[in-house]
């Protein structure tokens, strides 16, 4: 079985540009999570979906961040406009209810 | 207040020895779950082991076991017979019940296994 798939694996962009991160969860998983990992703040949950519906977006830092899940096999995390402080590794994870979360390989974002 | 505390920023262990990584948690929810994840230098997050708050026995998965002390609110990870490939960051996480699937992670412990 394929695991969680994320693209791109690396993204370098300039401040002010729009960035779109993509995720394909494991088939059959009802939940999808977006995390951000930095040295300063550790691993923090940004938002999660249940059956394509956003359930908790309290971790989304500000209006520049948005996430969508148009169907059960695809989600995007968009940053517009991007800022240098958004530089981090962004993980997507998926799970079945009350089970462990399976993480994707992450997208390393660098905003210059 | 932090929900998950990992007090050891770094730990060293000799190959083939056992090591314990500490994790304490804070919750008032009677039903919760505790997880450990491994993050090698390559960056991926790998699930290791799970303990439910109502589980009667400590969880074990191969060389990994969880020393769960509910009254002390601790969920320490024990790795037996350490291998060089165990060198990585280890994260403890908690999921509180009440309908949420949200995981809260600790800051992690960097384990180095010496040959």
């Amino acid at each position: 079985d394929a695991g969680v798939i994320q693209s791109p694996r690396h993204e370098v962009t300039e401040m002010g540009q729009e960035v779109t991160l993509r995720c394909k969860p494991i088939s059959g998983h009802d939940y999808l999570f977006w995390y951000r990992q930095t040295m300063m703040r550790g691993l923090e949950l940004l938002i999660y979906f249940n059956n394509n519906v956003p359930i908790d977006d309290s971790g989304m830092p500000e209006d520049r961040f948005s996430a969508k899940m148009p169907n059960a096999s695809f989600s995007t995390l968009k940053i517009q406009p991007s800022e240098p402080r958004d530089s981090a590794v962004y993980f997507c994870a998926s799970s079945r209810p009350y089970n462990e979360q399976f993480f994707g390989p992450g997208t390393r974002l660098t905003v210059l | 207040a932090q929900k998950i505390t990992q007090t050891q920023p770094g730990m060293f262990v000799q190959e083939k020895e056992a090591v314990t990584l500490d994790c304490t948690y804070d919750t008032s929810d009677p039903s919760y779950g505790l997880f450990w994840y491994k993050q090698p230098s390559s960056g991926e997050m790998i699930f290791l082991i799970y303990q439910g708050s109502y589980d009667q026995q400590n969880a074990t998965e191969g060389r990994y076991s969880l020393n769960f002390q509910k009254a002390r609110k601790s969920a320490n990870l024990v790795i037996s017979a350490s291998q060089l490939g165990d060198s990585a960051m280890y994260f403890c996480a908690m999921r509180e019940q009440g309908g949420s699937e949200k995981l809260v992670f600790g800051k992690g412990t960097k384990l180095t296994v010496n040959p």
Side-chain angles (χ1 to χ4, degrees):
Chain A
D1 280 344
V4 175
I5 299 172
Q6 290 187 247
S7 65
R9 294 293 308 276
H10 302 273
E11 176 81 29
V12 180
T13 190
E14 293 189 345
M15 183 173 62
Q17 296 297 306
E18 178 179 291
V19 175
T20 300
L21 310 182
R22 297 173 176 80
C23 175
K24 176 178 170 57
I26 295 172
S27 177
H29 282 191
D30 296 327
Y31 289 87
L32 183 140
F33 307 82
W34 283 101
Y35 290 89
R36 178 173 67 177
Q37 186 178 35
T38 61
M39 289 294 292
M40 290 297 294
R41 301 176 66 90
L43 195 63
E44 47 184 350
L45 178 69
L46 300 177
I47 185 171
Y48 79 91
F49 296 83
N50 178 20
N51 291 322
N52 313 336
V53 176
I55 301 300
D56 184 345
D57 65 354
S58 60
M60 294 286 265
E62 49 198 273
D63 291 345
R64 296 185 298 106
F65 286 69
S66 63
K68 294 182 179 179
M69 192 165 185
N71 57 62
S73 59
F74 184 66
S75 176
T76 59
L77 178 68
K78 188 173 292 187
I79 308 172
Q80 165 64 18
S82 57
E83 297 182 2
R85 60 192 168 120
D86 301 331
S87 297
V89 179
Y90 291 81
F91 287 102
C92 177
S94 70
S95 74
R96 291 192 173 94
Y98 305 117
N99 276 256
E100 68 273 21
Q101 295 177 17
F102 290 87
F103 281 71
T107 295
R108 183 173 294 277
L109 174 64
T110 303
V111 184
L112 303 174
Chain B
Q2 285 189 5
K3 295 231 175 198
I4 296 287
T5 303
Q6 295 181 253
T7 57
Q8 308 152 313
M11 287 283 286
F12 294 86
V13 65
Q14 286 297 120
E15 195 177 6
K16 301 180 184 177
E17 293 186 349
V19 63
T20 297
L21 306 184
D22 294 343
C23 173
T24 57
Y25 58 92
D26 180 26
T27 182
S28 57
D29 194 329
S31 178
Y32 52 88
L34 297 156
F35 300 77
W36 277 92
Y37 283 82
K38 172 184 179 181
Q39 187 177 39
S41 58
S42 51
E44 70 270 31
M45 294 285 289
I46 303 167
F47 166 73
L48 295 178
I49 196 166
Y50 168 79
Q51 179 84 44
S53 60
Y54 291 121
D55 292 344
Q56 294 296 313
Q57 293 188 328
N58 287 345
T60 61
E61 287 287 349
R63 294 186 300 110
Y64 304 108
S65 60
L66 205 151
N67 183 2
F68 181 46
Q69 299 187 44
K70 196 170 183 177
R72 297 181 61 184
K73 293 189 175 180
S74 74
N76 299 337
L77 177 69
V78 181
I79 305 174
S80 63
S82 296
Q83 301 172 357
L84 296 178
D86 294 335
S87 294
M89 284 290 291
Y90 288 82
F91 293 94
C92 180
M94 178 174 65
R95 180 185 61 213
E96 293 174 307
Q97 300 302 85
S100 174
E101 290 284 334
K102 180 176 181 177
L103 281 185
V104 176
F105 283 83
K107 296 293 186 185
T109 295
K110 184 174 182 179
L111 176 67
T112 302
V113 180
N114 294 317

